[in-house]
Amino acid sequence: MGMAELGNPTDHEADPQARLPPELLLVILHHLRFDRNALRQFCLVSRQLRSLSQPFIFEHISVGTQAPTQIASQSPCSSLYETLCQSPHIVTYIRHVDIVSPKLGPTWIARESTLPLLLTLLADAEIVRTFRLRCSSESWGDLPLELQHSIQLLMKSPSLRNLDFSGVVRLTTDVFKCCRSVERLKFSKIIVFDWDLEDRSGECFGTIKSFTSLDMDIVSVVAWMIATPSFRALRDLRIAVTHDEVNALQNLLHHVSGTLESLSLQLMIWYWPKGAPTCSISLPSLRSLRLSIGITKPCCDDDDIFHWAICFLLEQHRYKTLQHLTLDLRFEDASDPHALKWSELDSALSDVMFSALKTLVVTLFPMYPEAEPVVRLVGDELPRLLPWTAARDGFEIVRLNRPTSSFFFWPGPLEWSECEGEYEILEDGE
């Protein structure tokens, strides 16, 4: 079914006597809101279901490249733009916009002539809450000026709350001038991040409550965050670091130590070199902590990274404010899990200072097939590896069928969006 069929009424109508109450239909549609095929089928039943389904169908739109099975006469972007022009009421349903360039192959974002028109139309409506731009090999300066203008126009919309830039080869901070309504900012896979000490464009943000940085050098980003006032009241931080970036992380945590309530820290390190700095910043307002640790043979031989994580944990618990704790153990190979210092972790988790802890989640997952037996072994033996913690709280083993890329976002407060897991699954399937 094409865009036109989703936007225009069907010719047939169901028997009025067989209609369900709209309130009940809305409950059903709410449960099916992530099942695109089911929503499309609902649209074909009757005019009533079409009108009720449209807000769920068009709430999240993702514009990418032409599917191999589609007719090449019209691009997905131009097809969507034409539908919105023919049915203007649909624009009011759109809340989340995802512009996706393929990971491999030629990009389409810079060549698509209707993309600036589509983004301008959405910006004028002032209803979009989330905007994601996923590039593959473009620098911001290489994009057509008309496209740059339309993107900035959308980012300045008073309705926009969540902003996500991914895969931009080179990004400068002057892109974000006057984005005063943005509250959650996410950067990932940005090769070069440019900012000038004299550039005060960062002040054009409002108050940023949540910041995420993945798969990129954080040193220049952290320096920019510290130099601008928009991040002084940061509540939620999700960041991946290497041992070369610990000093930058420590400076950032010190900068937001009074307001930070949720921290997701992904340690992109397989071992902790002797003499490398440790992070000793205390976070008195911290309520939720997530530590993601890579486990491999060097780590088991010299357990510095595991010990570092425990020391960081102990530094935070003395304030008795930590309520939610998640430990991600990413097993890289068939290393011996018994070589890890489980007794240290067990002792830390069993400390009376963790009296405020309400939730403890330990996630285990293999990064490669050879690590799967290790994960099964640890899952079965976890109550024996952490006996004191198990005696106090008990363990419930739950196996989740989710891609590893989504684990960094699950669980935790201040969800980026209700579809975070869905977006990650779609990204893996590209």
Side-chain angles (χ1 to χ4, degrees):
M1 182 169 58
M3 284 287 181
E5 292 173 281
L6 295 176
N8 297 319
T10 56
D11 293 329
H12 56 280
E13 188 73 46
D15 181 1
Q17 302 300 323
R19 290 184 180 181
L20 294 173
E23 297 81 5
L24 180 57
L25 291 172
L26 286 174
V27 172
I28 296 174
L29 289 168
H30 180 76
H31 285 284
L32 295 174
R33 65 190 185 280
F34 299 142
D35 189 339
R36 311 290 290 187
N37 291 330
L39 291 175
R40 289 188 178 98
Q41 294 302 316
F42 262 76
C43 283
L44 296 176
V45 175
S46 67
R47 293 178 183 272
Q48 180 195 27
L49 285 179
R50 176 188 58 81
S51 61
L52 292 176
S53 301
Q54 280 183 343
F56 295 94
I57 289 179
F58 289 97
E59 182 180 10
H60 294 78
I61 61 172
S62 181
V63 183
T65 53
Q66 195 85 28
T69 57
Q70 289 178 317
I71 301 175
S73 60
Q74 193 174 32
S75 69
C77 184
S78 59
S79 176
L80 175 61
Y81 179 68
E82 181 180 323
T83 298
L84 297 181
C85 291
Q86 293 176 352
S87 305
H89 68 282
I90 294 179
V91 179
T92 62
Y93 302 146
I94 299 174
R95 296 294 180 269
H96 311 284
V97 179
D98 197 4
I99 307 297
V100 184
S101 185
K103 295 179 180 178
L104 300 175
T107 181
W108 65 273
I109 291 179
R111 302 193 311 267
E112 178 59 60
S113 59
T114 57
L115 182 56
L117 300 176
L118 173 64
L119 296 180
T120 301
L121 177 65
L122 296 174
D124 291 342
E126 297 185 352
I127 38 76
V128 175
R129 295 183 59 85
T130 301
F131 176 62
R132 298 178 181 223
L133 179 64
R134 302 188 185 188
C135 299
S136 58
S137 59
E138 299 92 346
S139 294
W140 174 260
D142 295 335
L143 298 178
L145 292 179
E146 186 181 9
L147 179 57
Q148 292 183 26
H149 176 73
S150 64
I151 292 175
Q152 289 180 307
L153 194 64
L154 182 58
M155 292 192 300
K156 294 176 184 178
S157 173
S159 64
L160 195 70
R161 296 294 181 269
N162 310 317
L163 182 59
D164 181 348
F165 268 69
S166 175
V168 181
V169 175
R170 194 178 196 97
L171 186 64
T172 58
T173 55
D174 58 0
V175 172
F176 307 108
K177 289 181 179 179
C178 299
C179 301
R180 299 186 182 278
S181 62
V182 174
E183 297 178 352
R184 299 177 187 176
L185 184 63
K186 179 179 176 182
F187 293 151
S188 62
K189 300 177 182 178
I190 296 175
I191 308 301
V192 179
F193 184 85
D194 286 334
W195 76 285
D196 190 337
L197 185 61
E198 302 299 326
D199 177 22
R200 311 307 294 179
S201 61
E203 297 181 4
C204 292
F205 277 115
T207 299
I208 300 296
K209 298 179 181 178
S210 174
F211 179 76
T212 300
S213 173
L214 294 173
D215 299 327
M216 59 180 291
D217 185 354
I218 69 167
V219 175
S220 57
V221 176
V222 166
W224 172 65
M225 294 173 65
I226 293 175
T228 56
S230 297
F231 298 91
R232 291 177 181 172
L234 195 69
R235 293 171 49 203
D236 177 51
L237 176 63
R238 308 176 186 200
I239 196 166
V241 299
T242 67
H243 59 79
D244 293 330
E245 299 168 336
V246 172
N247 285 333
L249 172 66
Q250 185 159 308
N251 293 336
L252 178 58
L253 292 180
H254 178 76
H255 186 67
V256 299
S257 60
T259 61
L260 194 65
E261 298 177 0
S262 175
L263 173 62
S264 295
L265 182 58
Q266 188 175 30
L267 301 171
M268 304 301 296
I269 312 158
W270 316 136
Y271 64 94
W272 199 262
K274 293 295 185 182
T278 58
C279 192
S280 58
I281 293 295
S282 298
L283 305 171
S285 301
L286 198 65
R287 300 291 185 272
S288 176
L289 174 63
R290 180 166 197 168
L291 293 178
S292 183
I293 309 168
I295 307 297
T296 189
K297 287 182 179 179
C299 177
C300 293
D301 295 337
D302 190 359
D303 196 12
D304 288 313
I305 183 63
F306 204 67
H307 180 74
W308 185 95
I310 295 172
C311 291
F312 182 85
L313 180 62
L314 290 173
E315 181 67 24
Q316 310 312 320
H317 84 302
R318 59 192 178 95
Y319 291 100
K320 297 184 179 180
T321 58
L322 195 63
Q323 299 179 2
H324 308 283
L325 173 62
T326 301
L327 298 176
D328 291 336
L329 302 181
R330 312 186 311 270
F331 287 89
E332 305 292 324
D333 49 36
S335 54
D336 181 12
H338 296 92
L340 298 174
K341 296 180 180 178
W342 294 102
S343 59
E344 278 192 38
L345 179 60
D346 193 28
S347 177
L349 294 176
S350 303
D351 196 291
V352 67
M353 301 296 284
F354 276 105
S355 57
L357 197 65
K358 297 179 180 179
T359 306
L360 170 62
V361 178
V362 180
T363 61
L364 316 167
F365 55 91
M367 296 297 290
Y368 301 101
E370 57 266 27
E372 292 182 1
V374 179
V375 169
R376 289 195 294 268
L377 175 64
V378 174
D380 294 337
E381 294 191 0
L382 201 57
R384 292 187 291 274
L385 295 172
L386 301 174
W388 294 353
T389 305
R392 186 187 67 178
D393 300 319
F395 277 105
E396 179 182 358
I397 307 299
V398 179
R399 303 191 184 279
L400 300 176
N401 184 23
R402 293 175 66 100
T404 56
S405 62
S406 67
F407 270 83
F408 189 61
F409 301 94
W410 176 93
L414 285 176
E415 293 291 345
W416 184 259
S417 76
E418 291 184 352
C419 283
E420 182 68 65
E422 181 194 13
Y423 274 115
E424 294 299 322
I425 292 172
L426 290 175
E427 185 176 353
D428 280 4
E430 291 175 0

